[in-house]
Amino acid sequence: MAAAAEPGARAWLGGVSPRQGSPTSSPELGAGSRSRSRPGSGPGSGPGSGPERAGARPLGPAAPGHSFRKVTLTKPTFCHLCSDFIWGLAGILCDVCNFMSHEKCLKHVKTPCTSVAPSLVRVPVAHCFGPRGLYKRRFCAVCRKGLEAPGVRCEVCELHVHPDCVPFACSDCRQCHQDGHRDHDTQLHHWREGNLPSGARCEVCRKACGSSDVLAGVRCEWCGVQAHSVCSAALAPECTFGRLRTMVLPPACVRLLSRNFSKMHCFRISESTAPEPGEGDDSVDGGAPAGPGREAMALESSKQTLKIFDGNDAVQRNHFRAITVPRLAKSQEVLEVALRAYYITEDPQGFQLQALPARALAGNTRASGKVWSGGTTEEEGSRGPGARDVPSIIRIPEAWIIRALPRSQEVLKIYPAWLKVGVAYVSMRVTPQSTARTVVLEALPLLGRQAEGLKSFQLVEVLMGSRQVQRVVLADEEPLLDRLREIRQTSLWQMSQTRFYVAESRVVAPRVSLFVGGLPPGRSPQEYSSLLDEAVASKAGLVSVSHVYSAQGAVVLDVACFAEAERLYMLVRDTAVHGRPLTALVLPDVLVAAALSYHPDQEAAVQGRVPLRRLHGQRWVGEADTHFLSPGSCLPWAEQHLKLPPDCCPLLVFVNPRSGGLKGRDLLCSFRKLLNPHQVFELTNGGPLPGFHVFSQVPCFRVLVCGGDGTVGWVLAALEELRHRLACPEPAVAILPLGTGNDLGRVLRWGSGYSGEDPFSVLVSVDEADAVLVDRWTILLDAHEASGGENSVADAEPPKIVHMSNYCGIGIDAELSLDFHQAREEEPGKFTSRFHNKGVYVRVGLQKISHPRGLHRALRLQAERQEVELPSIEGLIFLNIPSWGSGADLWGSDSDSRFEKPRMDDGLLEVVGVTGVVHMGQVQGGLRSGIRIAQGSYFRVTLLKATPVQVDGEPWVQAPGHMIISAAGPKVHMLRRAKQKPRKAGTAKDVRADGAPAPDGDSK
């Protein structure tokens, strides 16, 4: 009996020794992790290596699943275990996964082979693969080779793979929320192998464990602790989230019923329009990294290339693995190479190769050609695919499909779908008479649940794909042997990714929270319901409006059917209302207090009064249809979860990927990996409202805004509007400046702009930052246009309110900002550099250098309800912070008895004038200050003509009318970066976990 690791982790990192006294029904279970399979063995038994090749070594428990042999080295090579150079001409290589080792290190190898890795994942969680990109000094987690050509990475964890290796990747991503399937109470380490920085140090032995030459070392993707794969077994299994423990939203406190939705939808990750990895083009040799031109490789006259398919699904999709074998190779050797291309290490005696005719490639999977059996010796040297005449070079590779021979019985692993059972799985023999019902009946006594009755359980088939985990409930009378044969016909590799769980026959009432934005603002809940019914035909019995954000034009829907939620999600994304496209997001629930839920039909289903099939509604079961209880639970279905830890103050992260420098995309990926992806939101996908809604019940949290001054103002304005809906009405806000000016970030010590600093160091600085108060101001824009008649005023546009944190400019500075904004809107692709953006400002400023002075005649100013005489100026600026125009001190440092010393929280604004572009340039250079005009807390500006206006970097042309500037109620809590203490020579940088160096970011 093998013990598996906790969610997403693999057993080889948590100890792989069988638990003593574990129940078993098959003698093969105690034979170690590498016992040879017989033709009758199934996916539950350990895959065998087949006949040993020359140089093959006997394997023990320390080498799970590998097919090692001694090879002669022809180039510099490093050990994948200790990462040291392999001296000499001999090394130990796994024929399947390319694991290379010293001979002396072989006995310490605990890293599993790719062929058996899926069987060691306890809770399957699909990955979120992003678009292809260049990742320097990264290695594929499947074939262990470098990513010289474009590769893909998971947006949630540190998994890097070749595009054609994606189907073979383990579904072992981080479990970031509870979905009712084997939910856990204790957070354990989630280990990921390799791709560590070259300077990484082992947490146990303090020696170097990282390497830029091979895939070596392991790292916990929650706390960041790094270690050798051997040393990791000495660490405590529990994970404390490391240095960021107070900022991470614990997965046990997040619930998301995500059936029918991919992980990309659950984490609100923008889907790429590029072809899926492994799709589109013909696949290539499974033992080498993907790359352009590999399908056109030169062919020696003594070798031939064969297209190998592993089942009907691969034939229909034309997804094959190309292998190159000698033309005179024996049939047994060709079959072994074909199986290794699909990471299958079972005995070749149980398989055969069938020639695939052209009509089968055209879509007829029932067509079959001649059969070449890999299990007989009579065919060796015959005219099969491995021994053809060589009169000419074959230009089109031949196509063959691997078929499993019929089996009279199989040994199947049955997993319990609940935790704390004391056993990872039980092994059972399946015969032609075995059905799902008989297997459940036989497994229950072995799992200690025989007293609860057969009707309370069902058999669930789980396909653990790298992109999606699918679950299906098997009918009680379904023959299991036929089902296994059907899976192998579809795909041999899919067989190794398929598990069978005994689960309780209790279902939860489906509930999906769907955010819909882009609706007309100012409507009632009934009007929004009618509007959605007209637009997407929502079903009243299944869909209800749970939250209404009328001012923002958004609602949150509670959908009581998974199929209806998926339909609404897809329709809303393709729908526009009044010319505005709608936004749809799947939102999780953050659980902040213990709760108990109960559905009346669930007890009826358990007692047999209501058919279970009627409660399910359909055959396929997704990731959140069934809640599994621990033994002894007194209710038919209970939902139990943890409160937030008392010292937990999770960080809500907003990222604007369009801000200056376009560095937001990389930051999005980095913050999703460092924190829980459910606490990272992309502002171009629904704005800040979805994030505040998710965190509305969190009693204490902080906010990090990644963007320019305009982005910060956007988030602060949303916070002001939603403050009364939040359990934490005054969260402190930190800034990661990505814009061009970044004046508020400068004042709060976050710097003049982001220049590639390690994202982990940024989060540490946020955690250590000090809270300060900053005034917020309301600007009422009441535009009027005077008509010819006396006392006749016609409204040009309705009054509106904007909020200000930094400054408000009227005149020349707003005109320059408006010209820059228009240029960026016309050609956004050119504005990717902060240096280029400032150059555009200089260019538009030079064009305005001869602008006449006349602003003082185009407006009137009242301060504290008293008229203020304006000097001859071309620009009027209201300052709330001592930074303007990318760090310039417009007010100046000279003392003046007429005014108080400016502060961000004094409740006063400073009014300054500039005479033109030349004056502004002198202020930028520190040669002059602005013209001090007034200081106060209430101002009224009367515009006599249309004038450019900008607030916190957002410009527009304001029609004639009034502008009233006043305090906006409570001050906003901001985070000011603590002063950096000077480091001594040789002092280590900030660490992510105690004693573990911070990981390097991906180099592109």
Side-chain angles (χ1 to χ4, degrees):
M1 191 69 59
E6 273 297 320
R10 297 178 180 174
W12 55 280
L13 296 177
V16 297
S17 58
R19 295 183 62 120
Q20 297 297 325
S22 298
T24 177
S25 60
S26 172
E28 284 90 344
L29 286 177
S33 60
R34 193 60 178 87
S35 60
R36 181 178 300 179
S37 300
R38 294 180 293 276
S41 63
S45 59
S49 62
E52 293 188 356
R53 294 169 296 278
R57 300 180 57 90
L59 298 175
H66 290 288
S67 298
F68 282 125
R69 65 185 175 93
K70 185 176 290 188
V71 295
T72 300
L73 304 179
T74 59
K75 60 181 179 180
T77 308
F78 295 83
C79 177
H80 290 199
L81 182 69
C82 64
S83 71
D84 290 339
F85 185 78
I86 299 179
W87 297 96
L89 299 178
I92 305 299
L93 174 70
C94 175
D95 282 335
V96 179
C97 69
N98 302 313
F99 189 97
M100 179 67 72
S101 169
H102 289 106
E103 189 169 3
K104 64 180 181 180
C105 293
L106 190 61
K107 61 182 178 181
H108 301 296
V109 174
K110 295 188 180 298
T111 304
C113 182
T114 303
S115 61
V116 300
S119 65
L120 302 179
V121 176
R122 189 171 189 184
V123 179
V125 180
H127 292 283
C128 301
F129 291 109
R132 301 188 186 191
L134 292 175
Y135 303 103
K136 298 180 181 178
R137 298 185 299 276
R138 293 292 186 268
F139 295 88
C140 176
V142 175
C143 68
R144 309 185 70 86
K145 294 190 176 183
L147 297 177
E148 293 87 1
V152 295
R153 68 178 178 185
C154 178
E155 298 288 322
V156 177
C157 67
E158 285 291 341
L159 182 76
H160 293 74
V161 292
H162 294 111
D164 58 324
C165 290
V166 167
F168 305 96
C170 245
S171 56
D172 60 347
C173 193
R174 289 193 299 165
Q175 188 176 21
C176 300
H177 58 263
Q178 307 282 32
D179 61 0
H181 294 287
R182 310 197 79 182
D183 295 340
H184 54 90
D185 298 333
T186 304
Q187 183 67 40
L188 303 185
H189 288 298
H190 183 94
W191 299 108
R192 177 70 62 202
E193 184 188 13
N195 293 322
L196 306 184
S198 56
R201 294 283 174 179
C202 177
E203 180 73 10
V204 179
C205 66
R206 307 308 302 169
K207 295 181 180 180
C209 61
S211 174
S212 59
D213 302 301
V214 292
L215 196 71
V218 294
R219 171 172 54 198
C220 174
E221 295 186 303
W222 284 110
C223 68
V225 64
Q226 300 166 136
H228 295 102
S229 60
V230 176
C231 297
S232 62
L235 296 172
E238 292 79 12
C239 178
T240 61
F241 298 107
R243 175 63 180 81
L244 305 179
R245 64 179 63 89
T246 60
M247 309 177 72
V248 175
L249 186 63
C253 299
V254 184
R255 180 186 61 187
L256 179 60
L257 307 184
S258 55
R259 179 196 151 183
N260 293 359
F261 292 101
S262 70
K263 294 300 178 185
M264 304 289 279
H265 297 157
C266 297
F267 296 135
R268 306 166 302 280
I269 299 176
S270 300
E271 297 184 71
S272 172
T273 56
E276 296 289 341
E279 297 182 3
D281 299 331
D282 289 344
S283 298
V284 290
D285 183 4
R294 287 183 37 206
E295 59 278 357
M297 53 190 170
L299 198 62
E300 301 178 11
S301 60
S302 62
K303 295 185 178 181
Q304 63 178 340
T305 298
L306 304 176
K307 292 182 179 180
I308 304 297
F309 299 85
D310 76 327
N312 297 341
D313 184 68
V315 174
Q316 291 177 353
R317 298 172 179 266
N318 196 27
H319 290 175
F320 61 86
R321 308 285 282 179
I323 63 172
T324 302
V325 295
R327 292 184 179 275
L328 299 179
K330 297 180 180 179
S331 57
Q332 182 80 6
E333 297 173 354
V334 178
L335 180 58
E336 289 183 7
V337 174
L339 290 173
R340 288 200 300 269
Y342 282 94
Y343 302 98
I344 298 173
T345 56
E346 295 185 51
D347 193 339
Q349 300 288 341
F351 301 90
Q352 66 181 10
L353 280 175
Q354 293 181 359
L356 205 59
R359 62 181 182 274
L361 290 175
N364 183 11
T365 59
R366 294 182 179 272
S368 61
K370 63 181 179 180
V371 175
W372 167 52
S373 174
T376 65
T377 58
E378 299 176 359
E379 296 176 355
E380 294 183 1
S382 66
R383 300 178 61 84
R388 294 180 176 270
D389 293 334
V390 198
S392 61
I393 297 178
I394 300 176
R395 298 185 179 276
I396 300 178
E398 299 180 36
W400 296 79
I401 185 170
I402 310 174
R403 292 297 191 188
L405 296 176
R407 308 185 182 190
S408 59
Q409 62 179 6
E410 301 210 22
V411 176
L412 195 64
K413 288 179 181 176
I414 303 297
Y415 292 79
W418 56 88
L419 297 179
K420 301 178 182 178
V421 70
V423 59
Y425 59 84
V426 295
S427 185
M428 304 178 59
R429 195 169 301 278
V430 177
T431 64
Q433 292 74 35
S434 299
T435 63
R437 181 185 182 88
T438 60
V439 168
V440 172
L441 186 62
E442 187 178 348
L444 286 179
L446 300 175
L447 298 174
R449 305 293 293 271
Q450 64 274 16
E452 300 186 40
L454 180 61
K455 293 184 178 180
S456 301
F457 297 91
Q458 60 192 2
L459 193 64
V460 180
E461 177 188 319
V462 179
L463 174 58
M464 306 183 300
S466 62
R467 293 183 174 276
Q468 189 172 8
V469 176
Q470 297 178 334
R471 294 173 170 86
V472 57
V473 177
L474 298 181
D476 289 344
E477 303 303 325
E478 180 161 357
L480 276 189
L481 202 60
D482 293 344
R483 179 60 183 161
L484 297 178
R485 186 179 301 113
E486 180 183 341
I487 295 175
R488 285 197 176 91
Q489 286 286 108
T490 302
S491 170
L492 289 177
W493 174 249
Q494 181 177 322
M495 186 70 252
S496 65
Q497 294 181 316
T498 302
R499 281 187 185 174
F500 294 89
Y501 285 86
V502 174
E504 292 173 308
S505 304
R506 297 159 186 170
V507 298
V508 300
R511 179 184 177 274
V512 179
S513 294
L514 200 61
F515 173 89
V516 179
L519 297 169
R523 304 291 181 90
S524 66
Q526 293 75 17
E527 291 175 322
Y528 282 127
S529 297
S530 301
L531 194 62
L532 288 174
D533 186 53
E534 296 175 3
V536 295
S538 59
K539 300 179 181 179
L542 300 176
V543 182
S544 60
V545 178
S546 62
H547 295 80
V548 176
Y549 297 94
S550 180
Q552 294 80 18
V555 297
V556 177
L557 305 178
D558 271 352
V559 187
C561 174
F562 291 117
E564 175 68 7
E566 182 185 22
R567 186 188 72 86
L568 286 178
Y569 179 82
M570 303 305 295
L571 281 179
V572 168
R573 295 175 63 185
D574 296 331
T575 302
V577 174
H578 297 173
R580 295 180 57 191
L582 300 183
T583 301
L585 297 174
V586 181
L587 298 183
D589 293 325
V590 178
L591 312 172
V592 297
L596 186 66
S597 301
Y598 182 75
H599 192 273
D601 286 341
Q602 289 156 5
E603 182 180 9
V606 173
Q607 297 177 356
R609 298 197 302 268
V610 177
L612 180 62
R613 193 66 60 195
R614 203 165 71 206
L615 288 179
H616 280 291
Q618 54 184 343
R619 175 184 176 85
W620 282 93
V621 177
E623 295 191 9
D625 270 310
T626 307
H627 269 258
F628 307 121
L629 300 183
S630 58
S633 179
C634 59
L635 291 177
W637 176 73
E639 178 188 339
Q640 301 170 354
H641 50 75
L642 303 177
K643 297 181 181 179
L644 282 172
D647 61 340
C648 182
C649 184
L651 184 68
L652 174 59
V653 181
F654 294 110
V655 181
N656 187 353
R658 298 177 183 173
S659 291
L662 299 181
K663 295 183 174 64
R665 292 293 178 189
D666 290 336
L667 286 172
L668 269 172
C669 187
S670 297
F671 287 138
R672 287 189 183 117
K673 295 177 181 179
L674 291 169
L675 303 170
N676 191 321
H678 288 299
Q679 59 189 111
V680 181
F681 290 81
E682 183 178 348
L683 285 172
T684 55
N685 194 10
L689 178 57
F692 285 124
H693 173 80
V694 171
F695 273 61
S696 60
Q697 301 303 315
V698 178
C700 179
F701 68 93
R702 289 183 289 183
V703 179
L704 173 62
V705 182
C706 306
D709 288 336
T711 303
V712 176
W714 182 15
V715 174
L716 292 179
L719 176 61
E720 186 70 26
E721 295 174 351
L722 302 172
R723 190 186 303 272
H724 63 286
R725 292 175 176 253
L726 302 178
C728 177
E730 296 180 352
V733 181
I735 301 172
L736 182 58
L738 300 182
T740 302
N742 303 314
D743 289 288
L744 187 56
R746 295 170 188 264
V747 171
L748 297 175
R749 300 178 188 153
W750 294 107
S752 59
Y754 178 71
S755 57
E757 184 181 357
D758 179 21
F760 172 76
S761 300
V762 173
L763 295 179
V764 172
S765 298
V766 172
D767 190 45
E768 297 174 348
D770 305 318
V772 296
L773 295 176
V774 177
D775 294 326
R776 286 276 291 171
W777 300 85
T778 297
I779 303 177
L780 174 63
L781 304 173
D782 190 9
H784 295 85
E785 184 174 346
S787 62
E790 183 179 359
N791 297 330
S792 176
V793 178
D795 288 342
E797 59 184 39
K800 64 178 181 179
I801 294 177
V802 296
H803 297 277
M804 181 188 78
S805 298
N806 302 353
Y807 43 74
C808 170
I810 304 174
I812 185 62
D813 73 315
E815 189 173 350
L816 297 183
S817 181
L818 182 62
D819 291 345
F820 172 83
H821 178 75
Q822 292 173 346
R824 183 168 59 180
E825 289 294 317
E826 292 175 0
E827 297 179 298
K830 293 184 177 181
F831 292 78
T832 59
S833 165
R834 195 175 291 114
F835 179 79
H836 174 269
N837 295 352
K838 292 184 178 180
V840 175
Y841 264 115
V842 172
R843 186 188 67 192
V844 298
L846 293 176
Q847 296 173 353
K848 308 285 184 181
I849 198 169
S850 60
H851 202 283
R853 300 181 182 181
L855 182 67
H856 59 286
R857 294 189 294 269
L859 60 82
R860 294 195 298 269
L861 173 66
Q862 289 184 0
E864 306 294 352
R865 305 186 185 277
Q866 294 184 0
E867 291 286 341
V868 177
E869 184 178 355
L870 296 175
S872 177
I873 58 174
E874 198 55 42
L876 187 68
I877 299 104
F878 297 82
L879 297 173
N880 185 47
I881 60 175
S883 179
W884 168 86
S886 300
D889 186 3
L890 189 59
W891 181 259
S893 58
D894 297 338
S895 60
D896 192 332
S897 59
R898 297 176 302 166
F899 306 109
E900 298 181 14
K901 185 177 180 180
R903 297 199 323 270
M904 295 184 296
D905 60 345
D906 57 2
L908 299 175
L909 285 178
E910 289 71 45
V911 185
V912 185
V914 293
T915 59
V917 174
V918 175
H919 188 184
M920 294 170 61
Q922 292 172 334
V923 173
Q924 290 283 350
L927 303 178
R928 291 182 59 184
S929 299
I931 302 174
R932 299 178 180 179
I933 296 177
Q935 189 180 49
S937 59
Y938 179 86
F939 297 92
R940 183 185 184 96
V941 180
T942 302
L943 300 178
L944 304 180
K945 65 177 183 179
T947 307
V949 175
Q950 64 104 353
V951 174
D952 292 347
E954 302 298 321
W956 71 91
V957 176
Q958 180 63 28
H962 301 291
M963 294 177 56
I964 300 176
I965 306 175
S966 60
K971 305 177 189 293
V972 64
H973 293 250
M974 304 295 293
L975 289 174
R976 181 169 58 191
R977 192 170 192 167
K979 291 184 178 180
Q980 298 293 324
K981 297 181 181 179
R983 297 184 181 275
K984 298 180 181 179
T987 303
K989 295 181 179 180
D990 289 329
V991 294
R992 182 173 175 187
D994 297 337
D1000 294 338
D1002 286 343
S1003 300
K1004 290 188 178 181

